[in-house]
Amino acid sequence: MTDLAVIILTYNESIHLERALLHVKHLAKEVFVVDSYSTDKTVEIARAHGATVLQNRFINYAKQFQWALANAPITSTWVMRLDADEIIEPDLADEIATTLPTLPLGITGVNLRRKLVFMDRTIKYGGRGILVLLRIWRHGYGEIEDRWMDEHMIVREGKTVTFLGGFSDHNLNDLTFFTDKHNKYATREAIDALNQRLRFMPRPESMSVERSSFQAAVKRYVKEEIYNRVPFQISAGAYFLYRYVVKLGFLDGREGLIYHVLQGFWYRFLVGAKISELEAAISHVTKLEDILEELERTTGLTLGAASSSEGASAASTSG
């Protein structure tokens, strides 16, 4: 067992959770499943595979994960963020087991190279082939950005390295689930984009290269400082053409076409349209507290929740 704690957030993830747990149960010393009161068999599956289960009311991903960091009884030297639909492949498991214990104290974070599997096809082009994400960090050095969307792990100090082993995002749900999820994501991203300009909620500092992966920092800068300043009627179409033509997304075949249209055009267009809709909803108010209240009413999101520890919790360990 590696001196590693894995944290997985869940809500109705019975379709994925067993697969994720099977890939880490012989690798990590501790596995914590932080559940948002699932109504399926998620909790039973977690306990059956020896995970410690904690439950907390969900506000957003960032607050839920920060709550997990604050409340999970972690004793391991290293901590890993893993989504229920992600898979640690055997070569990465070997790399973690052999290399992680040998890293010098100045290394506080480890980036992983995540590939995307969509409709059972690995997406290799369109700039979506490999995403480098900070996913492992020394206990006490990592935190998650307090954002409503596109939240990244960062390390407070020290340097990061990148492991090369296989790591994949392979969601097994259908396109109805995909579009519903991205519709909700679009609302959250619209909130973050508005907050970038209006500052009605506290806003985290921009990521530096040392605190997260270089790729994530560059993507964040381009999106917030360039893309978001262009009218969405232009930027969404231009972005799709960039991904599908310039970045060779057409080489991903039929599945790639579906993915790049939905995620590279429809989703980006929807975010822009929702920003426009929310701007209209708050056009009659000027005070920040009134803006926040109106956005909460319009979106149904609890934007004013200030504490990541809010909500009842319970913990249990399988026997």
Side-chain angles (χ1 to χ4, degrees), residues 7-9 20 61 81-87 114 135 167:
I7 298 176
I8 306 174
L9 302 191
Y61 192 101
R81 169 186 170 183
L82 183 70
D83 291 345
D85 60 355
E86 292 174 337
I87 305 169
R114 190 183 72 178
R135 285 305 189 88
F167 179 49

Side-chain angles (χ1 to χ4, degrees), residues 19-20 23 82-89 92 166-170:
R19 183 186 65 181
H23 284 82
L82 183 70
D83 291 345
D85 60 355
E86 292 174 337
I87 305 169
I88 298 177
E89 297 173 11
L92 177 58
F167 179 49
S168 58
D169 173 359
H170 186 181

Side-chain angles (χ1 to χ4, degrees), residues 255-273:
E255 294 82 3
L257 175 62
I258 295 170
Y259 176 74
H260 292 298
V261 168
L262 289 179
Q263 206 276 337
F265 175 71
W266 172 77
Y267 173 68
R268 299 308 328 164
F269 194 91
L270 185 61
V271 171

Side-chain angles (χ1 to χ4, degrees), residues 8-23 40-42 45-46 49 82-87 117 120 168-174 177 181:
I8 306 174
L9 302 191
T10 59
Y11 177 71
N12 289 347
E13 287 287 359
S14 59
I15 191 174
H16 296 121
L17 186 58
E18 183 173 42
R19 183 186 65 181
L21 292 173
L22 287 173
H23 284 82
D40 65 0
K41 295 185 178 299
T42 293
I45 292 170
H49 287 277
L82 183 70
D83 291 345
D85 60 355
E86 292 174 337
I87 305 169
V117 181
D120 292 326
S168 58
D169 173 359
H170 186 181
N171 194 289
L172 301 174
N173 286 297
D174 61 16
F177 178 91
K181 179 179 72 171

Side-chain angles (χ1 to χ4, degrees), residues 69-88:
L69 290 177
N71 290 275
I74 299 169
T75 63
S76 299
T77 301
W78 294 91
V79 183
M80 179 181 187
R81 169 186 170 183
L82 183 70
D83 291 345
D85 60 355
E86 292 174 337
I87 305 169
I88 298 177

Side-chain angles (χ1 to χ4, degrees), residues 145-214:
E145 296 178 294
D146 188 10
R147 294 174 178 266
W148 278 86
M149 187 62 194
D150 195 29
E151 65 289 314
H152 289 280
M153 292 302 308
I154 57 177
V155 287
R156 298 189 183 96
E157 58 183 87
K159 297 182 178 180
T160 63
V161 296
T162 300
F163 285 178
L164 302 179
F167 179 49
S168 58
D169 173 359
H170 186 181
N171 194 289
L172 301 174
N173 286 297
D174 61 16
L175 287 176
T176 298
F177 178 91
F178 179 91
T179 51
D180 180 61
K181 179 179 72 171
H182 279 75
N183 179 44
K184 294 173 182 175
Y185 283 176
T187 301
R188 296 170 183 271
E189 186 163 341
I191 290 291
D192 266 347
L194 278 179
N195 191 46
Q196 179 186 0
R197 176 159 49 86
L198 301 178
R199 305 299 176 101
F200 48 83
M201 294 186 295
R203 181 171 164 77
E205 62 182 286
S206 297
M207 292 188 300
S208 67
V209 174
E210 293 77 15
R211 301 186 74 202
S212 187
S213 76
F214 177 79

Side-chain angles (χ1 to χ4, degrees), residues 2 4 27 78 88-103 110-113 136 161-167:
T2 307
L4 173 70
L27 170 67
W78 294 91
I88 298 177
E89 297 173 11
D91 60 336
L92 177 58
D94 290 341
E95 189 174 11
I96 291 172
T98 58
T99 305
L100 200 62
T102 69
L103 294 178
V110 178
N111 299 317
L112 301 183
R113 292 164 46 86
I136 302 174
V161 296
T162 300
F163 285 178
L164 302 179
F167 179 49

Side-chain angles (χ1 to χ4, degrees), residues 192-251:
D192 266 347
L194 278 179
N195 191 46
Q196 179 186 0
R197 176 159 49 86
L198 301 178
R199 305 299 176 101
F200 48 83
M201 294 186 295
R203 181 171 164 77
E205 62 182 286
S206 297
M207 292 188 300
S208 67
V209 174
E210 293 77 15
R211 301 186 74 202
S212 187
S213 76
F214 177 79
Q215 185 192 60
V218 170
K219 285 179 177 289
R220 169 72 52 74
Y221 177 84
V222 170
K223 183 167 73 172
E224 293 190 348
E225 301 302 325
I226 300 175
Y227 181 90
N228 285 351
R229 299 178 187 273
V230 179
F232 75 92
Q233 301 93 325
I234 299 172
S235 59
Y239 179 57
F240 168 73
L241 291 175
Y242 171 75
R243 272 175 50 165
Y244 198 67
V245 179
V246 178
K247 299 296 288 184
L248 306 179
F250 62 88
L251 294 178

